[in-house]
Amino acid sequence: MADRHPSEPTPDEQGPGGVSSDPLAYSATPGTAPRGVVGAAHSAAMPGTSALRSTTPDAARDGRGSDDTPKDACGVFGVWAPGEDVAKLAYYGLFALQHRGQEAAGIAVSDFSNVIVYKDLGLVAQVFDESTLASLTGSLAVGHTRYSTTGSCTYENAQPSFKQIRGGRGSVALGHNGNLTNTSELSREVAENGLGDDMGATTDSDLITTMLAANPDLSLEEAAVGVLPRLRGAFSLVFMDENTLYATRDRNGVRPLVLGRLERGWVVASETAALDIVGASFVREVEPGEVLAIDADGIRSAHFAAPEPKGCIFEYVYLARPDTTISGRGVHATRVEIGRRLAHEAPVEADLVIPTPESGTPAAIGYAQGSGIPYGQGLVKNAYVGRTFIQPSQTIRQLGIRLKLNPLRDVIRGKRLIVVDDSIVRGNTQRALVRMLRESGALEVHVRIASPPVRWPCFYGIDFATRAELVASGLDVEGVRRSIGADTLAYISLDGLIAASEQPRSRLCTACFTGDYPIALPEEARLGKHLLEDLVRAPDRTPAVDVSGAASGDPGPVSVPPADPVAHEGLETPPERAGARAGYLNTLPSWGAVGALDRP
Ligand code: SF4
C-alpha cells in the first residue's frame, strides 16, 4: 500500500505549511483513500510503494487533458510473452498511451496461477516505480490509463477492473476504452440476477467484469462470447484470466485496437505507437465485432457480431498520437492534409501561420504549405502546466489556460497571424489565446480550426462537455468568432476532414459534428458519466428507457451471426485447437443462463 498518495507532493515540492506551492498541482478526488494493490487473487500481498516523483510525461506536457480540450477515453494495453518482463512492457506501453487518460493507471499480471493487479490515481510514472514493477512478475499482463467517461475519478474506478470468478474458478482483470450505451439496462440485469454485490466500482467497465465473472460453470472464453453480444456502445477491451489474454472491439470498432507481434509473444494496444515503443511489429487491427484469445495454444479469433465499422474520426483530429496509424492512414499525415485543405477552403492574407502547441502543429504546417505563408512558432507551452483539467472551478480553469501558454512577443509583434488549432470545445482556450496575442502586439488574429464545429456530445467514450457547454452548439460561426474575439474564424468542412482521413464516409462516426449517431442511444445513455452513481443513490429511479430499444431505434438484442471462426493469415492456431476453436462460437451461453444461477 502506498504510504503517501501519488498525488501528494514530496516534502521538497511542498510550500509553506506543507501545502503545495504549485497552484496547478495534481489534486485527487476529495476523500479518496491512497491505495496501491487492489486485487491479488490467490496470491501473496505485494510490497507497498512509497511516494511518487514529480515526473511529468510528455503527454501531460502536451497539454492534453487541459480543461478546454476533449478528454480522451482511455488507453488499453495487453501482452502475452512468457519469459519477458511483461510488467515493464505494459508500463512502457501505457507510457505511450498516457495521452488517452491521465487520471489513473494500472497493470494486472499473471504467472499462470495468480493474477495480481496494481493501480492507483495519477499518471503512469506516478503510479509505478521500479520496485512495484519488479514485484509484478508473470507471463501475461493487461494495463490501462484512465480518463473517466463513466463513473467518477476515484480509486475504486481505476482499472484494470478485477473480479474473482464465482465458484473460485479463477479471476478476470479487464481494461476498457470506450463507453457503453446500455449501462442502465445491464446494471438492472446484474442487480436482478443477484450480482449487484459483486460490483466494486461505478463504471460500465466494472459491469462488464462482473458479468464475465458471474458464471462458475463457464470458462472466461465461454463467458465472453455470451457477454460481448449483450454490450451496446463503444468498447475496446483487453482482459485476461490466469492463462489467456483476450482483446475485443465492439461491432462498430469505434475505438482503435491493434495486434502486434513480439519475438516471443503478442501485444495488443489502443494505438500502433504503443507497439513501436515495446518493439512489437504491427500485425493488424482487431476487427470490429471480433474477439482474440492468446495463450500457450496460440492465437484464436472469432466474431461475436457482424462488423459495421464506424471508426471515430476525432481520433485523427486530436485523440490519437501523431505517430499512430489508424486503418492504414497515418495520423500526422492526416492532420497536415487537413491544414492544406483548410488553407484552400478558408484563405486569408497574413504574415505568419502559428500553431496552438502541440495539437495544432501538424495542421498549421499543412496550412502554411497550402497557403505559402511562412510557418513559425509564436507560443510556448509551459512544460509543467499540463493537467489543469483536474482543477474544479471555472475561474481556476481560465487561469490555467492563461498559464499554460506563453507568447513569443518578438515573433508576434506587428504581425497578421493565422492561428491553427485542432478543435474548439467551450471556446475558453481560444478566447484567452486571441486576447493574449493581441496584448503581445499582433495586428490581426485569424483562427483556423482543423475540425468542423463540435456541436454534439460524444456518448462513445470522449468527454467533450455537455451540449450547453459546447460553444458551437448555440452559436453559428460568426457568433463563435465574436465570442472568441478573432478577426476571422473558419473550420475545415466535414467533407475536407473526411477526405484528409482517406476513409470511406460510411465507415466513420462523425456524430459530434453532425448529430448523426451511428449507435442508437437509449435515453439512459444521455444521463451522463455518473449514471451508475445516480442509480446507487436512487436505486428506485427508473430512467425513461425502453429496454427493448424499439422506441429508441435500437434494434434490440443482437442476433449472433452463425459465422465461422475467422482464421487470419499469419495467426497461428495449433491443429489440436482446431476443434476447440470450432466450438468457440458454438458455446454461446446466454445471459439468461447466468441469471439462472443460484446465489451462493
Ligand atoms: S461522437 Fe465524435 S468523438 Fe465520439 S466517437 Fe463519434 S466522432 Fe468520435
Side-chain angles (χ1 to χ4, degrees), residues 34-66:
R35 304 286 174 83
V37 180
V38 297
H42 334 295
S43 75
M46 281 183 52
T49 59
S50 61
L52 294 168
R53 294 125 306 276
S54 58
T55 311
T56 304
D58 287 343
R61 284 192 236 122
D62 284 351
R64 286 173 179 269
S66 60

Short mmCIF file of all heavy atoms in Angstrom, two decimals, residues 34-66:
data_model
loop_
_atom_site.label_atom_id
_atom_site.label_comp_id
_atom_site.label_asym_id
_atom_site.label_seq_id
_atom_site.Cartn_x
_atom_site.Cartn_y
_atom_site.Cartn_z
N PRO A 34 -5.67 6.73 -0.28
CA PRO A 34 -4.50 6.27 -1.02
C PRO A 34 -4.49 4.76 -1.10
O PRO A 34 -4.75 4.07 -0.13
CB PRO A 34 -3.33 6.80 -0.20
CG PRO A 34 -3.86 7.01 1.17
CD PRO A 34 -5.31 7.34 1.00
N ARG A 35 -4.21 4.23 -2.27
CA ARG A 35 -4.22 2.79 -2.46
C ARG A 35 -3.07 2.39 -3.35
O ARG A 35 -2.35 3.19 -3.89
CB ARG A 35 -5.54 2.35 -3.13
CG ARG A 35 -6.78 2.77 -2.39
CD ARG A 35 -7.00 1.93 -1.15
NE ARG A 35 -8.11 2.46 -0.39
CZ ARG A 35 -9.38 2.18 -0.65
NH1 ARG A 35 -9.69 1.43 -1.65
NH2 ARG A 35 -10.34 2.69 0.10
N GLY A 36 -2.98 1.12 -3.55
CA GLY A 36 -1.97 0.61 -4.47
C GLY A 36 -2.43 -0.70 -5.01
O GLY A 36 -3.14 -0.77 -5.99
N VAL A 37 -2.08 -1.80 -4.35
CA VAL A 37 -2.52 -3.12 -4.78
C VAL A 37 -4.01 -3.21 -4.59
O VAL A 37 -4.53 -2.86 -3.54
CB VAL A 37 -1.84 -4.21 -3.93
CG1 VAL A 37 -2.30 -5.58 -4.39
CG2 VAL A 37 -0.34 -4.10 -4.01
N VAL A 38 -4.71 -3.66 -5.57
CA VAL A 38 -6.15 -3.74 -5.41
C VAL A 38 -6.69 -5.15 -5.47
O VAL A 38 -7.66 -5.47 -4.84
CB VAL A 38 -6.89 -2.92 -6.46
CG1 VAL A 38 -6.56 -1.48 -6.32
CG2 VAL A 38 -6.58 -3.43 -7.83
N GLY A 39 -6.10 -5.96 -6.23
CA GLY A 39 -6.62 -7.30 -6.34
C GLY A 39 -5.49 -8.29 -6.37
O GLY A 39 -4.55 -8.13 -7.12
N ALA A 40 -5.51 -9.26 -5.54
CA ALA A 40 -4.48 -10.28 -5.55
C ALA A 40 -5.17 -11.61 -5.35
O ALA A 40 -5.46 -12.03 -4.25
CB ALA A 40 -3.46 -10.03 -4.46
N ALA A 41 -5.50 -12.23 -6.46
CA ALA A 41 -6.23 -13.49 -6.38
C ALA A 41 -5.27 -14.61 -6.04
O ALA A 41 -4.29 -14.83 -6.73
CB ALA A 41 -6.91 -13.79 -7.70
N HIS A 42 -5.54 -15.31 -5.02
CA HIS A 42 -4.76 -16.47 -4.60
C HIS A 42 -3.28 -16.12 -4.46
O HIS A 42 -2.42 -16.91 -4.73
CB HIS A 42 -4.86 -17.63 -5.60
CG HIS A 42 -6.10 -17.64 -6.41
ND1 HIS A 42 -7.34 -17.82 -5.85
CD2 HIS A 42 -6.32 -17.48 -7.74
CE1 HIS A 42 -8.27 -17.80 -6.81
NE2 HIS A 42 -7.67 -17.58 -7.95
N SER A 43 -2.96 -14.93 -4.12
CA SER A 43 -1.54 -14.59 -4.12
C SER A 43 -1.16 -13.83 -2.88
O SER A 43 -2.00 -13.30 -2.16
CB SER A 43 -1.21 -13.74 -5.34
OG SER A 43 -1.69 -12.45 -5.14
N ALA A 44 0.14 -13.82 -2.64
CA ALA A 44 0.65 -13.05 -1.52
C ALA A 44 0.52 -11.57 -1.82
O ALA A 44 0.54 -11.15 -2.97
CB ALA A 44 2.11 -13.40 -1.28
N ALA A 45 0.36 -10.80 -0.78
CA ALA A 45 0.26 -9.36 -0.97
C ALA A 45 1.56 -8.81 -1.50
O ALA A 45 2.65 -9.30 -1.19
CB ALA A 45 -0.08 -8.69 0.36
N MET A 46 1.44 -7.81 -2.31
CA MET A 46 2.63 -7.18 -2.86
C MET A 46 3.23 -6.22 -1.87
O MET A 46 2.53 -5.64 -1.06
CB MET A 46 2.26 -6.38 -4.10
CG MET A 46 2.09 -7.21 -5.32
SD MET A 46 1.75 -6.12 -6.67
CE MET A 46 3.10 -4.97 -6.52
N PRO A 47 4.51 -6.00 -1.98
CA PRO A 47 5.10 -4.95 -1.17
C PRO A 47 4.51 -3.61 -1.56
O PRO A 47 4.15 -3.40 -2.72
CB PRO A 47 6.60 -5.02 -1.50
CG PRO A 47 6.74 -5.95 -2.63
CD PRO A 47 5.48 -6.69 -2.82
N GLY A 48 4.39 -2.73 -0.63
CA GLY A 48 3.82 -1.43 -0.92
C GLY A 48 4.79 -0.55 -1.66
O GLY A 48 5.95 -0.87 -1.84
N THR A 49 4.28 0.55 -2.08
CA THR A 49 5.15 1.52 -2.72
C THR A 49 5.11 2.80 -1.93
O THR A 49 4.21 3.02 -1.13
CB THR A 49 4.69 1.85 -4.15
OG1 THR A 49 3.37 2.37 -4.06
CG2 THR A 49 4.70 0.63 -5.01
N SER A 50 6.07 3.59 -2.12
CA SER A 50 6.10 4.84 -1.38
C SER A 50 5.76 5.98 -2.31
O SER A 50 5.10 5.83 -3.30
CB SER A 50 7.46 5.02 -0.73
OG SER A 50 8.44 5.06 -1.73
N ALA A 51 6.26 7.11 -1.97
CA ALA A 51 5.83 8.33 -2.65
C ALA A 51 6.18 8.32 -4.12
O ALA A 51 7.01 7.58 -4.59
CB ALA A 51 6.51 9.51 -2.00
N LEU A 52 5.52 9.17 -4.79
CA LEU A 52 5.76 9.29 -6.21
C LEU A 52 6.53 10.55 -6.51
O LEU A 52 6.53 11.50 -5.76
CB LEU A 52 4.43 9.28 -6.93
CG LEU A 52 3.79 7.94 -6.76
CD1 LEU A 52 2.37 7.99 -7.20
CD2 LEU A 52 4.54 6.89 -7.51
N ARG A 53 7.14 10.48 -7.63
CA ARG A 53 8.00 11.55 -8.01
C ARG A 53 7.28 12.59 -8.84
O ARG A 53 6.13 12.40 -9.17
CB ARG A 53 9.19 10.97 -8.77
CG ARG A 53 10.05 10.12 -7.88
CD ARG A 53 10.23 8.74 -8.42
NE ARG A 53 8.99 8.09 -8.70
CZ ARG A 53 8.29 7.44 -7.77
NH1 ARG A 53 8.70 7.38 -6.52
NH2 ARG A 53 7.15 6.85 -8.07
N SER A 54 7.96 13.62 -9.17
CA SER A 54 7.31 14.72 -9.86
C SER A 54 7.45 14.62 -11.36
O SER A 54 7.29 15.59 -12.07
CB SER A 54 7.91 16.05 -9.40
OG SER A 54 9.30 16.05 -9.63
N THR A 55 7.76 13.44 -11.85
CA THR A 55 7.92 13.25 -13.29
C THR A 55 6.65 13.66 -14.02
O THR A 55 5.56 13.32 -13.61
CB THR A 55 8.19 11.77 -13.60
OG1 THR A 55 9.21 11.35 -12.72
CG2 THR A 55 8.60 11.57 -15.02
N THR A 56 6.79 14.36 -15.10
CA THR A 56 5.65 14.74 -15.91
C THR A 56 5.85 14.20 -17.31
O THR A 56 6.71 14.63 -18.04
CB THR A 56 5.50 16.27 -15.98
OG1 THR A 56 5.42 16.75 -14.65
CG2 THR A 56 4.27 16.65 -16.74
N PRO A 57 5.07 13.20 -17.70
CA PRO A 57 5.24 12.61 -19.01
C PRO A 57 4.98 13.61 -20.14
O PRO A 57 4.31 14.62 -19.96
CB PRO A 57 4.19 11.49 -19.03
CG PRO A 57 3.84 11.26 -17.61
CD PRO A 57 4.03 12.56 -16.94
N ASP A 58 5.46 13.22 -21.30
CA ASP A 58 5.31 14.10 -22.45
C ASP A 58 3.86 14.42 -22.74
O ASP A 58 3.51 15.52 -23.11
CB ASP A 58 5.92 13.44 -23.69
CG ASP A 58 7.43 13.45 -23.59
OD1 ASP A 58 7.96 14.23 -22.77
OD2 ASP A 58 8.06 12.69 -24.31
N ALA A 59 3.01 13.41 -22.56
CA ALA A 59 1.60 13.64 -22.88
C ALA A 59 1.04 14.75 -22.02
O ALA A 59 0.27 15.59 -22.48
CB ALA A 59 0.81 12.36 -22.67
N ALA A 60 1.44 14.77 -20.76
CA ALA A 60 0.94 15.83 -19.89
C ALA A 60 1.51 17.17 -20.33
O ALA A 60 0.84 18.19 -20.31
CB ALA A 60 1.33 15.53 -18.45
N ARG A 61 2.76 17.14 -20.76
CA ARG A 61 3.36 18.39 -21.18
C ARG A 61 2.70 18.93 -22.43
O ARG A 61 2.71 20.11 -22.70
CB ARG A 61 4.86 18.18 -21.44
CG ARG A 61 5.63 18.08 -20.17
CD ARG A 61 7.10 18.18 -20.45
NE ARG A 61 7.77 17.03 -19.91
CZ ARG A 61 8.50 16.21 -20.64
NH1 ARG A 61 8.64 16.40 -21.92
NH2 ARG A 61 9.11 15.21 -20.08
N ASP A 62 2.16 18.03 -23.22
CA ASP A 62 1.47 18.47 -24.43
C ASP A 62 0.22 19.27 -24.12
O ASP A 62 -0.35 19.89 -24.99
CB ASP A 62 1.04 17.26 -25.28
CG ASP A 62 2.21 16.67 -26.00
OD1 ASP A 62 3.28 17.29 -25.97
OD2 ASP A 62 2.06 15.60 -26.57
N GLY A 63 -0.17 19.23 -22.89
CA GLY A 63 -1.36 19.97 -22.53
C GLY A 63 -2.63 19.20 -22.77
O GLY A 63 -3.72 19.70 -22.59
N ARG A 64 -2.52 17.98 -23.24
CA ARG A 64 -3.72 17.17 -23.38
C ARG A 64 -4.35 17.03 -22.01
O ARG A 64 -3.67 16.93 -21.02
CB ARG A 64 -3.38 15.79 -23.93
CG ARG A 64 -3.04 15.81 -25.39
CD ARG A 64 -2.56 14.45 -25.77
NE ARG A 64 -2.24 14.40 -27.17
CZ ARG A 64 -3.10 14.05 -28.11
NH1 ARG A 64 -4.32 13.76 -27.79
NH2 ARG A 64 -2.73 14.01 -29.37
N GLY A 65 -5.61 17.00 -21.99
CA GLY A 65 -6.28 16.89 -20.72
C GLY A 65 -6.50 18.24 -20.08
O GLY A 65 -7.04 18.33 -19.00
N SER A 66 -6.08 19.29 -20.71
CA SER A 66 -6.37 20.59 -20.16
C SER A 66 -7.85 20.84 -20.24
O SER A 66 -8.58 20.16 -20.91
CB SER A 66 -5.59 21.67 -20.91
OG SER A 66 -5.97 21.65 -22.26
#
